[in-house]
């Protein structure tokens, strides 16, 4: 059996590794000539970590991960701590560490584990054709690839999704802009072993440790879509949006490098229930595109990969049946994640100002128990428990 994997992102590479581990040959086709991931870093939560462990990447991932031993929320104006707690109870309950990693390093780890020379870069799929015994991918450069099945891991803007669903879906603007990047750790910004988030005015500023004495930082601001802002104005924009915020936030704005700071208008897609058509299966953001508010998009793509491989490994009723089993095991789980993230997004970003004000109050009383319980529920809902 040979699977054609379209897209060499987190989803496509996890899928290719998982399929090969299950004894299924793969070919990976990636549109860009050189991977330049959008977003500086990503938190791989223990459900994602367990998937990467199952792919044999435990030691590599651990080496790239920051030590997120504590979590804290700070008041936006005074900088005072609203709540601070240890992540140890979460690790004890779910049996793995949350693992924030630089995105380029995670991407490189996955590609190198598969074999960089085996990935066909610069191959943009334009169309997919199915026939009785297999699938053909047609590329922009006029070439084709044949396989028994095709995994569409071509991201949130998937060109293959339409042919699986039979209809076009629109991305939904979530109402806020996210700036993100990496800076050196600095105790005057936040403790190096803590995920620190300043909250107020429906905005947030977050610092999360990754390896190599670096923080992954991000700023969120509720804004209209399509503003004329880019890297050239990033410091002035952030100074304006975060005027009056605490000293560490001002120092962070001073410290960032505009050339490597990303500005992303955050979107998601209303969940849909069809991931498969015949021998073609959607995976990762192509199947379920979420806001990053619970940090689960990439983790869900890793989960998809493992479930896909285990469904295909037990394909006694044929490939099409196995893919439908994959779909049946993933639709509800990923719908839950997308909707949970959307809910969190709205509370965090002041969609209903009263609900956001109530959340700020709750944080003052938070001991960690409720936040960690919510995280554990999300993590333990994954296919590896
Ligand atoms: P992508 O990463 O989009 O990869 C798709 C690949 O397909 C790309 O390489 C693209 O070039 C290629 N491609 C596209 N079209 C074609 C084509 N026609 N032919 C061939 N190749 C094609 N997730 C987490 O788990 N934790 C986090 O903390 C987290 N933080 C996030 C923060 C931000 C700001 C954002 C925007 C997202 C975050 N996510 C996070 C979500 C995560 O980034 C995505 O869910 C994940 O990257 C999805 O992987 P993917 O492989 O499905 O898609």
């Amino acid at each position: 059996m040979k699977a054609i994997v379209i897209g060499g992102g987190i989803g496509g590479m996890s899928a290719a590794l998982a399929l090969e581990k299950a004894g299924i040959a793969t070919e990976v086709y990636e549109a860009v000539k050189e991977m330049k991931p959008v977003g500086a870093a990503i938190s791989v939560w223990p459900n994602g970590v367990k998937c990467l462990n199952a792919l044999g990447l435990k030691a590599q991932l651990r080496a790239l991960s920051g030590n997120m031993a504590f979590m804290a929320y700070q008041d936006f104006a005074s900088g005072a701590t609203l709540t601070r707690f240890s992540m140890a109870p979460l690790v004890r309950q779910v049996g793995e560490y949350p693992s924030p990693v630089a995105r380029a390093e995670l991407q490189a780890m996955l590609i190198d584990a598969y074999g960089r020379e085996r990935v066909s870069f610069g191959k943009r799929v334009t169309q997919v054709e199915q026939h009785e015994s297999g699938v053909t991918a047609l590329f922009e450069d006029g070439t084709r690839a044949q396989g028994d099945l095709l995994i569409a891991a071509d991201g949130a803007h998937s060109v293959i999704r339409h042919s699986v669903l039979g209809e076009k879906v629109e991305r939904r603007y979530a109402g806020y802009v996210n700036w993100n990047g990496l800076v050196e750790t600095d105790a005057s910004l936040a403790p190096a072993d803590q995920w620190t988030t300043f909250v107020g005015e429906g905005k947030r500023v977050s610092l999360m440790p990754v390896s190599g004495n670096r923080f992954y930082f991000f700023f969120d601001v509720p804004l209209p879509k399509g503003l004329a802002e880019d890297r050239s104005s990033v410091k002035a924009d952030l100074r304006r949006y975060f005027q009056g915020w605490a000293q560490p936030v001002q120092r962070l704005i001073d410290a960032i490098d505009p050339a490597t700071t990303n500005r992303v208008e955050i979107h998601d897609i209303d969940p849909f229930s069809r991931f498969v058509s015949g021998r073609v299966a959607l995976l990762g953001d192509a199947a379920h595109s979420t806001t990053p508010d619970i940090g689960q998009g990439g983790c869900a793509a890793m989960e998809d990969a493992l479930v896909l491989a285990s469904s295909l490994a037990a394909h006694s009723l044929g490939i099409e049946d196995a893919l439908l089993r994959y779909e049946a095991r993933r639709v509800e789980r990923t719908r839950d994640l997308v909707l949970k993230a959307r809910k969190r997004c709205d509370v965090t970003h002041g969609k209903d100002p009263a609900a956001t004000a109530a959340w700020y109050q709750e944080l003052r009383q938070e001991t960690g128990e409720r936040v960690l319980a919510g995280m554990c529920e999300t993590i333990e809902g994954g296919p590896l428990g």
Side-chain angles (χ1 to χ4, degrees):
M1 198 197 301
K2 183 174 88 183
I4 297 179
V5 178
I6 303 299
I10 295 171
M13 294 319 305
S14 300
L17 287 165
L19 291 173
E20 296 237 330
K21 236 180 148 41
I24 299 163
T26 60
E27 289 174 2
V28 179
Y29 295 92
E30 164 54 51
V32 301
K33 293 208 167 87
E34 197 191 332
M35 298 301 278
K36 285 188 189 138
V38 177
I42 169 169
S43 53
V44 184
W45 290 96
N47 52 316
V49 175
K50 289 176 190 177
C51 295
L52 296 178
N53 291 349
L55 297 178
L57 296 168
K58 187 181 170 102
Q60 288 98 312
L61 179 69
R62 187 64 68 81
L64 299 179
S65 302
N67 171 23
M68 199 157 84
F70 296 91
M71 184 171 167
Y73 283 96
Q74 318 286 135
D75 177 68
F76 77 104
S78 67
T81 300
L82 302 173
T83 180
R84 178 176 189 269
F85 46 88
S86 165
M87 298 295 271
L90 176 139
V91 176
R92 264 199 307 277
Q93 179 161 338
V94 303
E96 251 308 341
Y97 294 92
S99 301
V101 292
R103 195 182 274 256
E105 290 165 13
L106 174 68
Q107 186 68 53
M109 176 188 85
L110 291 169
I111 290 182
D112 290 340
Y114 180 76
R116 189 167 289 272
E117 66 295 343
R118 293 181 58 209
V119 178
S120 301
F121 290 100
K123 289 293 217 181
R124 183 172 294 277
V125 162
T126 52
Q127 216 183 316
V128 169
E129 286 173 358
Q130 295 202 46
H131 32 92
E132 219 159 87
S133 59
V135 187
T136 306
L138 287 77
F139 298 100
E140 203 173 49
D141 61 7
T143 58
R144 292 162 173 253
Q146 293 266 123
D148 298 300
L149 69 152
L150 182 141
I151 309 307
D154 55 341
H157 298 275
S158 171
V159 295
I160 303 168
R161 187 194 290 131
H162 180 226
S163 66
V164 169
L165 295 183
E167 59 175 332
K168 219 173 150 54
V169 296
E170 296 297 331
R171 295 169 81 223
R172 184 196 70 106
Y173 179 51
Y176 75 97
V177 173
N178 167 285
W179 289 260
N180 65 71
L182 298 169
V183 284
E184 247 180 69
T185 48
D186 172 350
S188 75
L189 298 175
D193 59 353
Q194 176 172 296
W195 177 18
T196 306
T197 304
F198 294 82
V199 288
E201 303 176 329
K203 306 171 193 170
R204 69 176 165 164
V205 179
S206 215
L207 291 142
M208 199 182 249
V210 299
S211 68
N213 298 320
R214 293 167 298 172
F215 281 131
Y216 165 42
F217 69 79
F218 59 87
F219 298 82
D220 288 354
V221 182
L223 285 172
K225 193 174 147 92
L227 292 183
E229 292 177 349
D230 59 19
R231 284 192 169 130
S232 65
S233 61
V234 62
K235 287 212 185 203
D237 294 336
L238 292 175
R239 282 199 187 103
R240 198 169 62 252
Y241 296 134
F242 292 96
Q243 199 177 5
W245 282 51
Q247 270 311 306
V249 174
Q250 307 307 328
R251 276 196 288 271
L252 175 60
I253 297 171
D254 290 340
I256 66 173
D257 176 2
T260 54
T261 300
N262 308 294
R263 182 187 188 279
V264 193
E265 292 179 335
I266 299 296
H267 289 75
D268 67 7
I269 294 177
D270 279 333
F272 46 85
S273 306
R274 189 157 187 202
F275 290 2
V276 168
S277 168
R279 290 165 177 260
V280 176
L282 303 175
L283 182 142
D285 279 12
H288 40 78
S289 172
T290 173
T291 68
D293 290 81
I294 57 170
Q296 281 289 343
C299 297
M302 295 166 193
E303 291 183 1
D304 287 349
L306 280 240
V307 173
L308 174 75
S310 78
S311 301
L312 280 162
H315 79 295
S316 57
L317 299 182
I319 290 173
E320 299 190 5
D321 176 76
L323 292 184
L324 287 174
R325 283 169 205 286
Y326 155 72
E327 176 186 271
R329 290 168 68 191
R330 294 306 294 156
V331 165
E332 276 314 308
R333 163 72 171 160
T334 54
R335 174 188 302 273
D336 284 354
L337 293 176
V338 171
L339 296 181
K340 207 172 194 180
R342 192 179 278 187
K343 203 165 157 188
R344 193 70 258 139
C345 164
D346 289 347
V347 173
T348 304
H349 299 104
K351 190 171 183 196
D352 169 2
T356 304
W359 177 54
Y360 296 154
Q361 274 311 318
E362 268 170 37
L363 288 177
R364 294 176 191 277
Q365 267 90 56
E366 178 66 55
T367 58
E369 225 170 289
R370 274 194 336 173
V371 170
L372 296 181
M375 289 175 166
C376 287
E377 189 189 72
T378 299
I379 291 161
E380 291 177 329
L384 302 181

